[in-house]
Amino acid sequence: MIRTNKLVKVYHTDEVQTTALNELDLEIKEGEFVSIMGPSGCGKSTLLNVLGMIDSPSSGEYFFQDEEIGHLSERGRSNIRKHNLGFVFQSFNLIDELTVFENVELPMLYTKVPSSDRKARVEELLEDMSIMHRRNHFPQQLSGGQQQRVAVARAIVNHPKLILADEPTGNLDSSNGDDVMRILTKLNDKGTTIVMVTHSQYCAEFGNRIIRMLDGKVVTENLVKQFL
């Protein structure tokens, strides 16, 4: 599903040049659950942004489902994101002015899903996430665990092939963190590919492979459980 070849990302300021990704080679198969670890500043989140087509590499190649992404316009990348990718962030990134229902529904508006289908899909997900009773509440009326459930529901409402999760349990206590990891594992069991950045060894071991980064490169890969 994902392949990178000598991927480089360099950030420039007036006085400093920072290499976040340094000729990084990576391959992720469809259906894998891959955890990415490493110290702060090693390039983990930059890699996730490039894989999610939020940011563009400075050089190198990025193939998503055998299509090289570098030549695409922003509109082309956006179209791939809308129909194939879901994002889960540490800070939830819910829209405060929208209700739980409206936050989860939002990605389907961008993909022009009919109203009746949107309603049925959102209600199904809110039931699955045990958050249906909060459908008309606003994000600030929810606990952190509830907000992350809503964020996960929003990420998967369009049936993405790939979920990119950046520290999805970072702002949660252990109980709510476990709930989120169980949800991600269940999605992976159904065939969704997951790439997750985490500082937690415990969370990383929910995946089938752990990749460790340092200075913008992959330095080790460990198989946690066999991927079939």
Side-chain angles (χ1 to χ4, degrees), residues 44 67-68 118-119 131 144 148 152 174-176 210 221:
K44 303 185 302 294
E67 181 174 12
E68 210 287 306
R118 296 200 305 269
K119 182 175 185 295
I131 199 83
Q148 194 61 297
V152 173
S174 58
S175 176
N176 282 307
I210 298 175
E221 295 189 38

Side-chain angles (χ1 to χ4, degrees), residues 53 72-84:
M53 304 170 213
L72 294 179
S73 64
E74 173 51 37
R75 183 174 181 178
R77 293 195 298 271
S78 175
N79 193 51
I80 292 176
R81 281 198 305 270
K82 286 189 296 185
H83 292 93
N84 295 279

Side-chain angles (χ1 to χ4, degrees), residues 26 45 73 76 86 194 215:
L26 178 68
S45 292
S73 64
I194 297 176
D215 297 334

